[in-house]
C-alpha cells in the first residue's frame, strides 16, 4: 500500500481514469475534491468524493478548501492532480499556498493562460513551426459583420473553454459546424446571447473521418523535460451535443517524428505536468493540424495507463520519489473504449481498423474507461449497465443523424 494519498480535482471520467491508475500501480483509493458530484465517480472503491464545494472556481475559496483539506490529513504525503483545465489554472495561481502541503507538477499561470486559450495557442504553434487549420476569429462586437477567409463549412468553437463550460443557452454544443452563412449567423447569435462574451475561434473544416484524428498525452517533469509520450488514433468520436469532439474509442499507435516535434515544443515553452493535444491528419498536404492543447491529461488518457504506461507512476516517481527519468515513448498495442463495443462494430466504417480493433478484443488487449473488475460492486455494476444501454441509444440516435452506415 502506498504511503501517500492522491487528491484528484474534479469528479468526471478523467478523475475515474486517474483513480484507476493510482489503484493499479499503488493499491490506493484516491480522494476527490470538486464543484459537484458526477456519475462516473459514484459508487466506486477506487475514488471517493471527499469535498464538494460549488464555489471552488473562486481562487480564495480554492486555496481555503485545499489548505483546509491538507490540515485535516496531517502526516500524509498528498499528491495533487488536476483533472480539468479550470483546476490547472487554479493550481497554477495558488502554487505558493499549495506547495507546503502538496506534491504536484503544474505549469506557470502565464503558460496556462497562453496555451489553454486557442487563439494564443495558435500563435505559439506558428512560432514553433507546428501546423494548425486556417483560423480566424470574431468577437462579441464584430460577429455579425465578420467575413471568413475560407469557404464553408466553418468550425465554431470558444477561445476560452473554461468560460464557455460555465455558460448556458438553448441547443448548446461543445463545437458547432456551420454549413452556410445563415447557420453561422444563427449559431454565433445564440452563443453571444449567453454569459459567454469572449472571442470565438472560426476554423476551416479539415476533411476526413474521425479516425484521421490523433490524441497525444504527455508528462513533463519538474525539470521541464518530457518524460512520457503516448499517442492514440481515435476510431470514433462522440456525436452528442455536449460530447462532440470527445473520443469514443482509441487505438494506441506510435509516430516517432510527430512525437519528437511535440517534445521540442513542450520543452521550448518550459511546460511542467500533464498535457494533452488534439490534432487531425490533413491528407491534402500530409500535415497534422493541431486543434488545441489542454493543460492536463486528456479525458480519455486512461488509454495510456491501460496500454502499460501508468500515468500515476510517472507523476509519483517525479514529484514524490524524485527518481531520474528519461524519455519513454509508448509503443504497446491497446484498444480503449468509453462507448459500448457494439457501437464500434456497427459504426466504424474503415474495415482495416475494425479488423484491428476486433483482433485486440480477441486478445484481451482492450479496456473500458468506466468499469474494471477491481471496482465491480453491485451498485457500480448496475450503474455501468444502465450507462452502456443509455449510451447505445444515444450513439445510435446521433450517429444515425450523421448518416453513417446503419
Amino acid at each position: 500500500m502506498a504511503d501517500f494519498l492522491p487528491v484528484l480535482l474534479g469528479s468526471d471520467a478523467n478523475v475515474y481514469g486517474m483513480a484507476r491508475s493510482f489503484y493499479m500501480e499503488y493499491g490506493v483509493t484516491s480522494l476527490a475534491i470538486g464543484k459537484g458530484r458526477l456519475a462516473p465517480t459514484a459508487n466506486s472503491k477506487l475514488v471517493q468524493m471527499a469535498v464538494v464545494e460549488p464555489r471552488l472556481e473562486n481562487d480564495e475559496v480554492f486555496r481555503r478548501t485545499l489548505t483546509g483539506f491538507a490540515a485535516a490529513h496531517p502526516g500524509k504525503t498528498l499528491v495533487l492532480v488536476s483533472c480539468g483545465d479550470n483546476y490547472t489554472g487554479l493550481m497554477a495561481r495558488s502554487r505558493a499556498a499549495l506547495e507546503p502541503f502538496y506534491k504536484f507538477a503544474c505549469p506557470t499561470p502565464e503558460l496556462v493562460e497562453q496555451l489553454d486559450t486557442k487563439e494564443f495557442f495558435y500563435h505559439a504553434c506558428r512560432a514553433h513551426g507546428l501546423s494548425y487549420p486556417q483560423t480566424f476569429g470574431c468577437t462579441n462586437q464584430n460577429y455579425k459583420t465578420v467575413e471568413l477567409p475560407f469557404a464553408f463549412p466553418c468550425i465554431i468553437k470558444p477561445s476560452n473553454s473554461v468560460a464557455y463550460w460555465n455558460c448556458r443557452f438553448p441547443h448548446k454544443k461543445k463545437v458547432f459546424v456551420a454549413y452556410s452563412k445563415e447557420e453561422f449567423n444563427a449559431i454565433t447569435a445564440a452563443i453571444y446571447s449567453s454569459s459567454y462574451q469572449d472571442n470565438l475561434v472560426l476554423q476551416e473544416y479539415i476533411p476526413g473521418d474521425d479516425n484521421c484524428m490523433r490524441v497525444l498525452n504527455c508528462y513533463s517533469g519538474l525539470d521541464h523535460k518530457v518524460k512520457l509520450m503516448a499517442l492514440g488514433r481515435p476510431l470514433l468520436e462522440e456525436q452528442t451535443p455536449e460530447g462532440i469532439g470527445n473520443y469514443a474509442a482509441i487505438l494506441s499507435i506510435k509516430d516517432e517524428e510527430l512525437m519528437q516535434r511535440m517534445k521540442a515544443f513542450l520543452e521550448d515553452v518550459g511546460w511542467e505536468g500533464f498535457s494533452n493535444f488534439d490534432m487531425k491528419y490533413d491528407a491534402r498536404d500530409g500535415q497534422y493540424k493541431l486543434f488545441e492543447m489542454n493543460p492536463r491529461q486528456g479525458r480519455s488518457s486512461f488509454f495510456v495507463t491501460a496500454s502499460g504506461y501508468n500515468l500515476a507512476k510517472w507523476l509519483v516517481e517525479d514529484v514524490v520519489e524524485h527518481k531520474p527519468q528519461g524519455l519513454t515513448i509508448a509503443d504497446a498495442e491497446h484498444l480503449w473504449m468509453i462507448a459500448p463495443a457494439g457501437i464500434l462494430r456497427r459504426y466504424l466504417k474503415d474495415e482495416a481498423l475494425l479488423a484491428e480493433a476486433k483482433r485486440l478484443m480477441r486478445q484481451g488487449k482492450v479496456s473500458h474507461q468506466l468499469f474494471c473488475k477491481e471496482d465491480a460492486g453491485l451498485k457500480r455494476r448496475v450503474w455501468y449497465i444502465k450507462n452502456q444501454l443509455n449510451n447505445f441509444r444515444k450513439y445510435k440516435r446521433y450517429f444515425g443523424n450523421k448518416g453513417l452506415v446503419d
Side-chain angles (χ1 to χ4, degrees):
M1 183 67 70
D3 61 354
F4 61 84
L5 178 62
V7 182
L8 312 181
L9 297 175
S11 62
D12 64 359
N14 187 11
V15 174
Y16 190 75
M18 283 305 302
R20 284 182 71 178
S21 296
F22 277 105
Y23 192 87
M24 289 169 63
E25 187 70 23
Y26 301 105
V28 62
T29 296
S30 300
L31 297 183
I33 299 174
K35 295 189 301 178
R37 300 178 187 271
L38 297 177
T41 48
N43 301 312
S44 171
K45 78 171 190 177
L46 308 187
V47 57
Q48 298 174 2
M49 286 301 300
V51 179
V52 176
E53 171 51 74
R55 301 172 298 156
L56 196 58
E57 286 188 317
N58 176 281
D59 283 49
E60 182 179 346
V61 173
F62 179 81
R63 286 190 286 270
R64 185 169 64 246
T65 301
L66 270 291
T67 54
F69 178 88
H73 295 80
K76 198 74 172 177
T77 300
L78 304 177
V79 179
L80 187 62
V81 185
S82 167
C83 296
D85 296 12
N86 52 343
Y87 294 124
T88 305
L90 287 160
M91 283 176 61
R93 295 190 297 272
S94 303
R95 179 185 287 271
L98 297 177
E99 281 184 328
F101 306 102
Y102 294 91
K103 303 292 186 181
F104 60 91
C106 182
T108 65
E110 294 77 17
L111 270 180
V112 174
E113 184 175 357
Q114 176 187 6
L115 298 180
D116 193 33
T117 303
K118 292 181 179 62
E119 57 189 303
F120 294 117
F121 171 61
Y122 297 139
H123 293 330
C125 287
R126 186 163 59 248
H128 289 83
L130 300 175
S131 296
Y132 58 94
Q134 287 190 68
T135 300
F136 201 56
C138 70
T139 70
N140 60 358
Q141 300 295 315
N142 71 355
Y143 71 94
K144 294 181 180 179
T145 58
V146 68
E147 294 293 333
L148 298 178
F150 47 80
F152 287 100
C154 171
I155 305 295
I156 304 172
K157 53 189 175 183
S159 177
N160 187 331
S161 57
V162 174
Y164 188 73
W165 177 260
N166 290 319
C167 83
R168 297 288 182 272
F169 59 91
H171 311 296
K172 179 183 175 182
K173 294 183 179 181
K174 184 180 176 183
V175 178
F176 287 93
V177 182
Y179 292 91
S180 66
K181 180 63 174 176
E182 291 73 23
E183 288 188 1
F184 177 88
N185 291 339
I187 292 167
T188 53
I191 294 172
Y192 282 127
S193 71
S194 74
S195 63
Y196 184 84
Q197 297 297 305
D198 213 326
N199 294 354
L200 292 176
V201 174
L202 313 176
Q203 214 161 56
E204 67 168 328
Y205 176 77
I206 305 297
D209 290 338
D210 295 346
N211 57 64
C212 293
M213 293 292 296
R214 300 291 186 271
V215 56
L216 176 66
N217 280 276
C218 306
Y219 178 74
S220 300
L222 298 177
D223 61 359
H224 301 165
K225 299 297 182 182
V226 179
K227 309 299 184 182
L228 175 66
M229 307 185 81
L231 184 66
R233 181 175 187 174
L235 302 181
L236 289 176
E237 291 186 3
E238 293 188 30
Q239 299 300 321
T240 59
E242 70 279 5
I244 290 174
N246 293 335
Y247 302 124
I250 295 173
L251 189 67
S252 296
I253 61 170
K254 182 180 178 181
D255 187 319
E256 188 83 33
E257 181 183 354
L258 171 63
M259 294 161 110
Q260 288 297 334
R261 291 205 307 271
M262 300 311 298
K263 174 181 180 290
F265 171 79
L266 286 167
E267 293 183 352
D268 284 349
V269 301
W271 194 258
E272 178 183 307
F274 291 109
S275 57
N276 166 245
F277 298 88
D278 292 310
M279 62 193 82
K280 191 172 186 179
Y281 179 76
D282 190 343
R284 298 172 300 181
D285 59 9
Q287 298 289 318
Y288 287 104
K289 304 293 175 67
L290 282 140
F291 288 158
E292 65 180 352
M293 174 183 177
N294 296 308
R296 52 168 170 80
Q297 68 287 352
R299 176 178 177 269
S300 57
S301 63
F302 184 74
F303 86 83
V304 183
T305 292
S307 64
Y309 303 87
N310 193 299
L311 293 171
K313 178 177 181 287
W314 262 264
L315 175 66
V316 170
E317 289 187 352
D318 184 36
V319 304
V320 177
E321 299 173 354
H322 304 295
K323 288 185 177 180
Q325 296 172 313
L327 172 65
T328 297
I329 294 180
D331 61 0
E333 292 184 328
H334 197 81
L335 173 65
W336 169 96
M337 293 184 295
I338 198 168
I343 291 294
L344 192 63
R345 296 188 183 99
R346 185 167 186 166
Y347 295 111
L348 179 55
K349 296 188 296 182
D350 189 298
E351 293 184 1
L353 288 175
L354 180 57
E356 177 71 2
K358 288 180 176 179
R359 179 183 69 82
L360 292 174
M361 289 182 194
R362 290 193 300 271
Q363 295 177 354
K365 297 178 180 180
V366 60
S367 61
H368 193 281
Q369 175 79 13
L370 298 175
F371 188 76
C372 60
K373 62 182 181 180
E374 297 85 1
D375 198 20
L378 179 60
K379 289 185 178 180
R380 185 77 191 180
R381 290 202 308 271
V382 170
W383 172 82
Y384 173 76
I385 292 169
K386 290 181 178 178
N387 172 268
Q388 291 297 279
L389 290 173
N390 288 335
N391 277 343
F392 195 91
R393 286 191 287 266
K394 285 198 302 183
Y395 277 91
K396 184 177 180 181
R397 173 187 173 190
Y398 285 103
F399 273 113
N401 289 342
K402 194 181 180 186
L404 298 182
V405 176
D406 194 0

